[in-house]
Amino acid sequence: MARIPSLKSLNAFPHAEEHLLKKTYSGAIVTILGLIIMFTLFVHELQFYLTTYTVHQMSVDLKRGETLPIHINMSFPSLPCEVLSVDAIDMSGKHEVDLHTNIWKLRLDRYGHIIGTEYLSDLVEKGHGAHHDHDHGHENHDEQKKHEHTFNEDAEKMVKSVKQALENGEGCRVYGMLDVQRVAGNFHISVHGLNIFVAEKIFEGSSHVNVSHVIHDLSFGPKYPGIHNPLDETSRILHDTSGTFKYYIKVVPTEYKYLSKKVLPTNQFSVTEYFLPIRPTDRAWPAVYFLYDLSPITVTIKEERRNFLHFLTRLCAVLGGTFAMTGMLDRWMYRLIESVTNSKTRSVLR
């Protein structure tokens, strides 16, 4: 019992008796203001604690033998679907015709409304383009001669059909997914799939091929929170000119790790753009090229939760600081009001 008086002397929060406390209107206003500020800061700190943040790490890419998914969604407002083809070329030099590919073409009217659908089944991965491949020319010579008359009729029908579509202002939307080898290469959308004589009849020269396009979406894998694909909603419209667009893309392998430990393998990329106008002496036909290369570095993005002790520390600092500031403000206001009241009382007594 003898220790109790000495223990009381350590109390940092002494309490005055009720009749010695004086409550004022200014103190009530400061208290309400302080409570509003503390509640607002508490909600802000709680939201900050509940939101996750990401940590970026880099390492050498060790993946081998996997494929690279390419998601395409593009519109060509000045070219009908009948003349457009998609070609994929990689550095391996393999000639494959059985790619796991899903590409569709949607016919568009001059206002961009869909008027028809077509599945693109003639996508070929090749080294130099099917229409320039003469390795089997002699073997197929007899068959080509046999069907020459039919081919000419089909070609004439196609020329008339495409010219009618051009007059009607038809466009084309190309969308779907390419599954290519995980090596450097390119894919391009062009009129290269046409026979050269048919192309000449339709367009009367390469300078009349308008490859204006809008890239609605281009990605190299599934999307994760916060990803930004630099070519999304990119519009390149040509007027009274033609040429070849080239997009040089550096693909960065990426892994996104959620809080649930689920891992999402994907890719992000950077891009540089180049446009080459067609000259009268050029023999090449306009196209839109996407030339991609893979980075040897993998980026790992990991979601993290903020530390609970850090949250408590910040909360105590915010609430304690607000309480201290409102206490100081209350004392200043009380002294100011008291000094003004006393000066008025003295002037009245005089």
Side-chain angles (χ1 to χ4, degrees):
M1 297 297 294
R3 295 180 181 177
I4 292 178
S6 60
L7 186 63
K8 283 184 178 181
S9 64
L10 299 177
N11 185 8
F13 308 100
H15 298 280
E17 295 183 12
E18 188 69 26
H19 69 277
L20 296 176
L21 298 176
K22 185 178 181 181
K23 296 183 178 182
T24 62
Y25 287 108
S26 62
I29 294 172
V30 171
T31 301
I32 293 171
L33 182 63
L35 289 174
I36 293 173
I37 294 173
M38 283 191 283
F39 178 76
T40 304
L41 293 177
F42 170 76
V43 171
H44 178 270
E45 288 297 324
L46 184 62
Q47 289 177 342
F48 181 74
Y49 168 70
L50 293 177
T51 55
T52 59
Y53 68 98
T54 55
V55 177
H56 292 67
Q57 299 173 337
M58 291 187 292
S59 59
V60 177
D61 184 20
L62 301 177
K63 294 178 182 177
R64 293 188 300 174
E66 297 184 6
T67 57
L68 180 67
I70 305 174
H71 300 272
I72 309 169
N73 188 354
M74 297 178 61
S75 293
F76 291 82
S78 301
L79 289 176
C81 289
E82 288 182 83
V83 301
L84 284 177
S85 65
V86 182
D87 300 315
I89 307 170
D90 65 37
M91 297 297 291
S92 67
K94 293 181 180 178
H95 293 203
E96 299 180 3
V97 295
D98 56 350
L99 289 176
H100 178 65
T101 305
N102 293 300
I103 296 290
W104 281 265
K105 295 192 292 186
L106 301 178
R107 292 174 57 206
L108 306 176
D109 62 15
R110 63 174 70 249
Y111 305 107
H113 301 140
I114 298 172
I115 56 176
T117 307
E118 179 184 346
Y119 179 68
L120 183 62
S121 58
D122 58 349
L123 176 73
V124 180
E125 182 176 10
K126 50 205 172 178
H128 301 286
H131 55 288
H132 296 300
D133 188 1
H134 301 289
D135 293 342
H136 305 288
H138 295 292
E139 297 176 13
N140 299 328
H141 180 68
D142 294 336
E143 289 185 14
Q144 288 177 358
K145 207 169 182 184
K146 190 189 226 179
H147 300 291
E148 188 176 7
H149 182 66
T150 307
F151 170 78
N152 288 338
E153 287 183 355
D154 292 340
E156 287 297 332
K157 288 180 181 178
M158 183 180 183
V159 170
K160 288 180 181 179
S161 174
V162 173
K163 284 190 173 183
Q164 185 62 46
L166 288 170
E167 288 177 9
N168 295 338
E170 273 194 33
C172 186
R173 186 163 187 163
V174 181
Y175 75 97
M177 188 186 79
L178 305 177
D179 225 4
V180 298
Q181 297 295 323
R182 199 178 179 84
V183 293
N186 78 74
F187 66 94
H188 53 277
I189 304 174
S190 62
V191 298
H192 293 169
L194 292 175
N195 180 284
I196 187 66
F197 302 107
V198 173
E200 283 286 353
K201 274 194 169 186
I202 293 173
F203 297 104
E204 298 176 356
S206 60
S207 59
H208 297 125
V209 179
N210 188 341
V211 290
S212 296
H213 58 278
V214 178
I215 304 173
H216 305 288
D217 176 60
L218 178 69
S219 58
F220 292 81
K223 295 183 179 181
Y224 60 84
I227 190 173
H228 172 67
N229 293 323
L231 285 178
D232 286 1
E233 301 304 327
T234 298
S235 179
R236 296 292 179 266
I237 306 299
L238 299 176
H239 300 283
D240 302 324
T241 186
S242 187
T244 295
F245 288 90
K246 291 187 178 182
Y247 296 95
Y248 296 91
I249 296 172
K250 177 66 75 172
V251 180
V252 181
T254 304
E255 286 186 345
Y256 191 89
K257 296 184 177 180
Y258 293 91
L259 280 176
S260 60
K261 307 302 180 182
K262 177 185 174 183
V263 179
L264 178 69
T266 183
N267 301 277
Q268 51 186 325
F269 67 93
S270 62
V271 63
T272 303
E273 180 183 348
Y274 177 69
F275 176 68
L276 179 65
I278 287 288
R279 294 173 295 184
T281 55
D282 289 342
R283 299 182 63 185
W285 288 78
V288 180
Y289 283 84
F290 296 90
L291 302 98
Y292 57 88
D293 193 7
L294 282 91
S295 169
I297 301 298
T298 295
V299 175
T300 302
I301 305 173
K302 189 177 180 181
E303 286 185 346
E304 295 283 355
R305 179 75 73 187
R306 290 181 171 83
N307 192 286
F308 182 69
L309 291 178
H310 290 174
F311 167 67
L312 288 180
T313 303
R314 291 172 61 97
L315 195 61
C316 291
V318 166
L319 299 183
T322 305
F323 184 80
M325 287 299 299
T326 53
M328 293 172 60
L329 181 62
D330 177 56
R331 286 194 294 273
W332 292 339
M333 289 184 66
Y334 178 76
R335 289 176 183 174
L336 179 62
I337 293 171
E338 284 291 315
S339 62
V340 171
T341 304
N342 290 337
S343 62
K344 285 183 179 181
T345 304
R346 289 172 186 171
S347 62
V348 169
L349 290 175
R350 289 177 184 175

